[in-house]
Amino acid sequence: MSLLSVDDLVVEHRSPGRPAVRAVAGASLTVSAGEVVGLVGESGCGKSTLARAVCGLNPVTAGSITFDGQPVTPLGLRRRRLTGIQMVFQDPYASLNPRRLVGDQVADGLRTARDTVTSPADLLERVGLPREFAGRHPHEFSGGQRQRIAIARALAARPRLLIGDEPISALDASAQSQVARLMRDLAVDAGAGLLFISHDLSVVRLIADRIAVMYLGRIVEVGDTAEVWADPRHPYTKALLRAIPKPDGMGVLPAELPGDVPDPVNPPQGCRFHPRCPHVMDVCRGKEPDFGPVACWLHEPR
Ligand code: SF4
């Protein structure tokens, strides 16, 4: 059984006097214990909204999220710490309390896990930082060091599922793959699942066992990382890989692909990708391909 199971999830953002925006529009995804799943897609495709819903931070409009056999429901921050899910956020500057010592912030997680043996300094050492950093404040560190502290704090609570929501995008290039690999190694060593969200395909390729590709609120392709990389099947996945600028295959997604970017308030009928797809057929305009692992009429399961 999967540790995390997201089934046909819908999350709408509503604000008074405005039409509802369906940020997640029927997405399904699983993560097993000890598995790393990379969730990729252009900015605004719903990746972060999905992650926040998994953590109980966004209410679910329809569909379901099950973690460890139990339904996930919206929670306050305090109760969320007890669920076994921890999240590392994009901005390491905003996610740490500037007034509290680093060691005290890591100790919060240890208390949650009722761990009286491990010290905050032990955890800092595990994420590659000197033990004495426990006695300092967050402003004394670089972005990469702060993100390591945020990872130490998340791991202190002994999560069974770790979620990284663009955890490397605010870091400089040299720190990015180090921090991504660190998250993978620590999560897998602890037997936890890792859902790693990034627009950086090159890093996801290095650390993920499986890749899920998201477009306008839906997962359009999911598969083994090496297979998706070698033989992408959904036209959107192909376009993403083609758009990687460097010939060595390392690079990041472009801000947007060629073609019209649809309005999430009013998404296209049928396949959401059809206004940008070079292979569009009549059926694509009328009916949404509602199947996996490749949600495209060219790859309908028989
Ligand atoms: Fe293109 Fe049709 Fe496949 Fe959508 S369903 S990606 S429009 S071929």
Side-chain angles (χ1 to χ4, degrees):
M1 191 177 70
S2 299
L3 180 65
L4 173 72
S5 190
V6 176
D7 286 310
D8 215 6
L9 180 71
V10 176
V11 181
E12 286 182 350
H13 296 314
R14 291 176 180 277
S15 39
R18 296 188 159 187
V21 179
R22 221 162 230 226
V24 181
S28 299
L29 183 75
T30 60
V31 182
S32 299
E35 183 185 39
V36 179
V37 176
L39 182 59
V40 299
E42 289 165 286
S43 147
C45 71
K47 308 182 297 285
S48 293
T49 304
L50 184 148
R52 291 176 62 82
V54 167
C55 281
L57 294 173
N58 263 340
V60 167
T61 308
S64 66
I65 305 170
T66 309
F67 172 67
D68 210 11
Q70 300 292 321
V72 171
T73 50
L75 297 172
L77 193 64
R78 199 178 155 76
R79 279 183 58 214
R80 184 165 58 84
R81 290 208 184 102
L82 305 176
T83 63
I85 303 176
Q86 286 287 312
M87 195 153 165
V88 176
F89 294 92
Q90 176 174 354
D91 185 355
Y93 292 87
S95 65
L96 295 170
N97 184 331
R99 284 186 288 277
R100 295 182 69 210
L101 292 174
V102 161
D104 290 346
Q105 298 189 55
V106 175
D108 291 344
L110 292 169
R111 267 192 297 280
T112 300
R114 297 198 163 91
D115 183 345
T116 53
V117 178
T118 311
S119 72
D122 294 339
L123 277 158
L124 292 176
E125 205 167 41
R126 276 179 62 200
V127 298
L129 295 174
R131 298 178 67 86
E132 58 270 23
F133 279 14
R136 299 192 192 170
H137 287 91
H139 72 264
E140 298 177 56
F141 302 109
S142 69
Q145 288 170 327
R146 287 188 203 202
Q147 202 58 305
R148 284 173 188 265
I149 293 165
I151 293 166
R153 187 181 58 177
L155 287 170
R158 296 224 189 133
R160 302 196 47 225
L161 176 68
L162 188 61
I163 300 179
D165 183 11
E166 298 273 7
I168 57 170
S169 58
L171 307 183
D172 59 46
S174 64
Q176 287 190 346
S177 61
Q178 287 172 9
V179 168
R181 285 180 194 273
L182 179 71
M183 282 187 79
R184 180 200 160 87
D185 293 348
L186 293 172
V188 171
D189 284 355
L194 172 60
L195 179 60
F196 190 91
I197 295 170
S198 179
H199 61 274
D200 189 333
L201 268 173
S202 62
V203 173
V204 168
R205 179 195 178 196
L206 292 177
I207 67 160
D209 301 308
R210 282 191 300 134
I211 287 184
V213 180
M214 197 163 184
Y215 183 75
L216 214 61
R218 292 183 74 94
I219 306 289
V220 296
E221 180 163 2
V222 63
D224 176 85
T225 299
E227 284 172 20
V228 172
W229 190 267
D231 182 24
R233 293 195 288 158
H234 194 284
Y236 178 59
T237 315
K238 287 185 184 188
L240 291 182
L241 290 175
R242 263 202 311 275
I244 291 175
K246 296 181 193 165
D248 62 1
M250 306 296 275
V252 296
L253 296 181
E256 57 188 53
L257 291 168
D260 297 332
V261 181
D263 179 1
V265 175
N266 192 14
Q269 293 286 308
C271 171
R272 289 157 181 259
F273 189 57
H274 88 251
R276 305 170 82 183
C277 181
H279 308 290
V280 61
M281 305 170 284
D282 284 348
V283 63
C284 310
R285 296 191 180 89
K287 204 168 165 201
E288 185 145 39
D290 198 10
F291 45 77
V294 184
C296 168
W297 288 116
L298 294 172
H299 299 282
E300 186 181 6
R302 308 228 169 252

